Amino acid sequence: MRIVVTGGAGFIGSHVADAYLAAGHEVAIIDDLSSGRRENLPKAARFEECDIRSPEAARVVEQFRPDVLNHHAAQMNVRVSVDKPGFDADVNVLGFLNLLEAGRRAGTKTVIFSSSGGTVYGEPERIPSPETLPTHPICPYGVSKLSGEHYLYYYSRIFGFRYVALRYANIYGPRQDPHGEAGVVSIFCQRLLRGEECTIYGDGLQTRDYVFVGDVVRANVAALTSEFCGAVNIGTGRETNVVELFERINARVGGAGKVRHVEAKEGEVRRSSLDASLAGRVLGWAPRVPLDEGLGATVDFFRSRP
Ligand SMILES: NC(=O)c1ccc[n+]([C@@H]2O[C@H](COP(=O)([O-])OP(=O)(O)OC[C@H]3O[C@@H](n4cnc5c(N)ncnc54)[C@H](O)[C@@H]3O)[C@@H](O)[C@H]2O)c1
């Protein structure tokens, strides 16, 4: 297949592009390197450095004529989305529409979209959360991701696109940017390896559902050929709190790490975990990598990185 991967210089997108190339697909990557890194780019992929909102990005899609558009480029910082909701919508809604329109003109049939199971349900009514819960995001980033899903529904109904919106839980693993706000695992790994203190917001008993990036890659591979069209959770159904996460990583790094508690972040969801039984039925997907194994691989990555 011919596949465009946007955000392919970033954390998840680069792993997905690697897997697609390894499976024999032809891959073109669109990324503006705003948070992605050139060294993450697989050599065998064609690379176009441009903004998804630009006419150049639309031209790349039209000329490459992908069978599949795999969309991972995004403004993904919740804080930025609160401070600059217009910018968030510009990238995540208008940028995505630019690509969808180009895909429509190019005859693209399938779209795989990285949505956010941690934000589209807002303060979830049930844990682990199934896809049937109401979607009432409480941050602009969640709203823009959910709009992406609504546009996909429209494109599927009117233009016959098939789409899979993968509602990710908290993804972690090698290559995650330790400077962002989303990657608590990579932040703790890097700080502990450097002997620096880690910050925990509030009591640290807030929970998240951590999924190893290798498992997420398998969901992106399964989404290429499944017949499913719609939104599906990618999570483990397990909750881990921040204190426990710190202790697990600290134990791997030598156990001497120090932690500092600061005031809780306003508006942060207290608990989050996704029920992925639908992914089992429609994608044949289930998480495989236990948390300690994934944390080990992530610590090893940060240890080996200069
Ligand atoms: N990491 C998570 O836990 C998580 C959870 C839910 C959803 N997601 C979604 O998965 C996707 C990938 O996330 P990630 O963790 O790999 O982040 P990342 O920052 O490593 O990757 C995003 C990539 O998109 C590129 N990009 C950003 N804006 C762009 C633009 N306007 N034009 C072109 N390229 C642009 C960046 O340079 C980067 O390479 C995002 O859409 C994110 O919202 C991630």
Side-chain angles (χ1 to χ4, degrees), residues 4 43 51 95 114 143 161 169 176 191 211:
V4 162
K43 301 231 172 343
D51 191 312
S114 52
V143 175
F161 280 50
Q176 187 162 31
R191 293 191 73 83
V211 186

Short mmCIF file of all heavy atoms in Angstrom, two decimals, residues 4 43 51 95 114 143 161 169 176 191 211:
data_model
loop_
_atom_site.label_atom_id
_atom_site.label_comp_id
_atom_site.label_asym_id
_atom_site.label_seq_id
_atom_site.Cartn_x
_atom_site.Cartn_y
_atom_site.Cartn_z
N VAL A 4 0.61 7.72 3.54
CA VAL A 4 1.17 8.96 4.09
C VAL A 4 1.06 8.88 5.60
O VAL A 4 -0.03 8.62 6.14
CB VAL A 4 0.43 10.21 3.56
CG1 VAL A 4 0.72 11.43 4.44
CG2 VAL A 4 0.84 10.51 2.12
N LYS A 43 14.92 5.86 7.15
CA LYS A 43 15.64 6.22 5.93
C LYS A 43 14.87 5.85 4.66
O LYS A 43 14.95 6.52 3.64
CB LYS A 43 17.00 5.51 5.88
CG LYS A 43 17.89 5.85 7.05
CD LYS A 43 19.27 6.28 6.62
CE LYS A 43 20.12 6.82 7.75
NZ LYS A 43 19.47 7.23 8.99
N ASP A 51 4.23 22.00 6.96
CA ASP A 51 3.15 22.12 7.93
C ASP A 51 1.88 21.50 7.33
O ASP A 51 1.58 21.76 6.15
CB ASP A 51 2.95 23.63 8.20
CG ASP A 51 2.04 23.89 9.38
OD1 ASP A 51 0.95 23.29 9.46
OD2 ASP A 51 2.43 24.72 10.22
N GLY A 95 -5.87 21.93 9.87
CA GLY A 95 -4.76 21.17 9.28
C GLY A 95 -5.24 19.80 8.83
O GLY A 95 -4.90 19.33 7.73
N SER A 114 -5.19 9.50 14.95
CA SER A 114 -4.80 9.36 16.37
C SER A 114 -5.67 10.27 17.21
O SER A 114 -5.46 11.48 17.28
CB SER A 114 -3.33 9.70 16.54
OG SER A 114 -3.05 10.96 15.98
N VAL A 143 -11.65 18.71 22.39
CA VAL A 143 -12.68 19.15 21.44
C VAL A 143 -12.15 19.03 20.01
O VAL A 143 -12.85 18.55 19.11
CB VAL A 143 -13.10 20.62 21.73
CG1 VAL A 143 -14.07 21.12 20.67
CG2 VAL A 143 -13.71 20.75 23.12
N PHE A 161 -15.10 7.18 2.57
CA PHE A 161 -13.84 6.85 3.25
C PHE A 161 -14.13 5.80 4.32
O PHE A 161 -15.17 5.85 4.96
CB PHE A 161 -13.29 8.06 4.02
CG PHE A 161 -12.57 9.09 3.20
CD1 PHE A 161 -13.10 9.61 2.04
CD2 PHE A 161 -11.34 9.59 3.64
CE1 PHE A 161 -12.42 10.59 1.33
CE2 PHE A 161 -10.67 10.57 2.94
CZ PHE A 161 -11.21 11.07 1.78
N ALA A 169 -4.94 5.81 24.99
CA ALA A 169 -4.75 6.16 26.41
C ALA A 169 -3.42 6.92 26.50
O ALA A 169 -3.10 7.69 25.60
CB ALA A 169 -4.75 4.88 27.24
N GLN A 176 9.94 9.04 23.01
CA GLN A 176 8.98 10.05 23.46
C GLN A 176 9.76 11.28 23.94
O GLN A 176 10.76 11.16 24.64
CB GLN A 176 8.10 9.51 24.59
CG GLN A 176 6.98 10.49 24.95
CD GLN A 176 5.86 9.85 25.73
OE1 GLN A 176 6.10 8.89 26.48
NE2 GLN A 176 4.65 10.35 25.57
N ARG A 191 15.00 12.42 33.92
CA ARG A 191 15.42 13.14 35.14
C ARG A 191 16.10 12.18 36.12
O ARG A 191 17.12 12.52 36.72
CB ARG A 191 14.22 13.84 35.80
CG ARG A 191 13.67 14.98 34.94
CD ARG A 191 12.68 15.83 35.71
NE ARG A 191 13.33 16.67 36.69
CZ ARG A 191 13.89 17.85 36.44
NH1 ARG A 191 13.85 18.35 35.21
NH2 ARG A 191 14.46 18.54 37.40
N VAL A 211 0.11 2.66 27.94
CA VAL A 211 0.22 1.66 26.87
C VAL A 211 1.57 1.81 26.18
O VAL A 211 1.96 2.93 25.80
CB VAL A 211 -0.89 1.84 25.81
CG1 VAL A 211 -0.87 0.70 24.79
CG2 VAL A 211 -2.26 1.94 26.45
#
